[in-house]
Amino acid sequence: MTVEVRLPTVLRPHAGGTSSARAEGATIGEVLQDLVRQYPGMAGQLITDGGQLHRFVNVYVNDDDVRYLEQLDTKVSEEDVVSILPAVAGGGQ
Amino acid sequence: MLRLTEPVYLRIVGHCLDGLPDEACGLLGGGPGTGKVTVCYPTRNVAASARVYTVDPKDHLKADRDAEGRGLEIVGVFHSHTHTEAYPSPTDVAQAPDPSWHYVLVSLKAGPPVLRSYRILDGKISEEPVVVEAR
C-alpha cells in the first residue's frame, strides 16, 4: 500500500524540495526502504547499516512514535500518515 | 541575525529557569528564512538531566504540526546550560540536526540568564546577533 510521508526540512533537498512524499510498504521499515529507493540521498540517514532505525531520526505513524510501537516492524495502512522528524538532543555535558 | 519577539524571549528564559536543576529545551517557530521567531514551544526534556537534553519526540511532533498550521516552520531549538557558558558543546555540535536551524543557548551558570544564538554548519559554529523586538 501507499502512504503519505512527511519529510523534515533537512531531508527535503534529497526529495527535490518537497515536504511530503508517497512511499509503498506494509511496515515502517518497508516504507523507509522505498523512500530511499526513490531518493537515494536519504540512504544512511533513516536506517543504519545494521538495519535499525537511525538514532538521529524520530518516525511516527499518525501521532505515535514507532519506537514505542514495533519499531521498523510497525504496520501501516492506507490512511496512515508517516512523519519523520530529526531527533533533537545535545547538552552542556 | 536572530530576531525574537519579547514574549518568545521571556518564554524561553522562563522555561529554562523552570527546568532547573535540569537542562530545559524547546523549539522555535517562525517563517522559514526570515530569521524571526514568533512562537516558542517549550518541550519536555526526556533525558531529565542537568547535563544533556532530548526534546520529547511527541512534543516535537505537536510543535511541528502547530507551526505548520500557522504557516510557519520549526526554525530552531533552544536549551539551557545549567553550569557552562552559552556556547555549543561538542555534543550540541555532533547532534545538531539541521543546518538551516538557529541554535539558541541559555546559560544559567551565574547571575542573570545569558542568551546567545548560533548557526552550526558541517560542525562549524558561528555566533549570530540576537535582537529582541516588541512583537
Side-chain angles (χ1 to χ4, degrees):
Chain A
M1 64 201 71
T2 308
V3 293
E4 180 188 354
V5 184
R6 324 241 359 204
L7 302 172
T9 51
V10 71
L11 291 182
R12 290 176 197 170
H14 299 302
T18 185
S19 61
S20 164
R22 300 199 60 84
E24 284 192 28
T27 63
I28 284 294
E30 290 175 13
V31 166
L32 297 182
Q33 280 164 14
D34 187 48
L35 210 56
V36 171
R37 256 195 300 278
Q38 296 179 62
Y39 308 113
M42 294 184 195
Q45 301 198 47
L46 301 174
I47 298 174
T48 64
D49 293 343
Q52 301 293 309
L53 183 60
H54 202 296
R55 71 186 179 98
F56 288 162
V57 291
N58 295 322
V59 177
Y60 311 80
V61 175
N62 304 318
D63 291 342
D64 297 315
D65 183 341
V66 303
R67 285 201 174 83
Y68 296 98
L69 300 171
E70 292 170 71
Q71 307 254 5
L72 293 177
D73 295 331
T74 304
K75 294 198 172 27
V76 294
S77 50
E78 200 75 43
E79 300 297 309
D80 288 336
V81 175
V82 174
S83 302
I84 304 173
L85 289 175
V88 185
Q93 294 291 324
Chain B
M1 183 194 295
L2 179 69
R3 294 183 295 143
L4 304 174
T5 64
E6 194 171 16
V8 165
Y9 173 80
L10 293 172
R11 196 134 192 238
I12 292 171
V13 171
H15 184 61
C16 289
L17 290 168
D18 285 346
L20 285 170
D22 289 345
E23 286 196 6
C25 54
L27 296 162
L28 303 171
T34 63
K36 176 143 180 169
V37 173
T38 50
V39 189
C40 170
Y41 298 101
T43 60
R44 285 166 288 191
N45 172 8
V46 290
S49 155
R51 295 182 175 272
V52 289
Y53 79 94
T54 299
V55 168
D56 182 289
K58 280 207 128 171
D59 289 352
H60 188 169
L61 183 66
K62 267 190 228 158
D64 192 75
R65 286 191 180 157
D66 183 86
E68 190 181 16
R70 296 168 189 256
L72 306 174
E73 273 182 7
I74 300 301
V75 296
V77 57
F78 70 90
H79 75 280
S80 59
H81 281 179
T82 58
H83 59 284
T84 55
E85 304 292 343
Y87 190 79
S89 68
T91 319
D92 293 333
V93 175
Q95 302 194 25
D98 191 325
S100 72
W101 278 16
H102 302 269
Y103 292 87
V104 171
L105 273 293
V106 178
S107 175
L108 304 173
K109 187 183 167 193
V114 175
L115 182 149
R116 294 183 188 277
S117 182
Y118 303 86
R119 308 307 289 260
I120 301 175
L121 186 57
D122 293 332
K124 196 166 156 277
I125 302 166
S126 45
E127 185 168 4
E128 61 180 350
V130 178
V131 176
V132 178
E133 301 176 342
R135 57 174 63 212

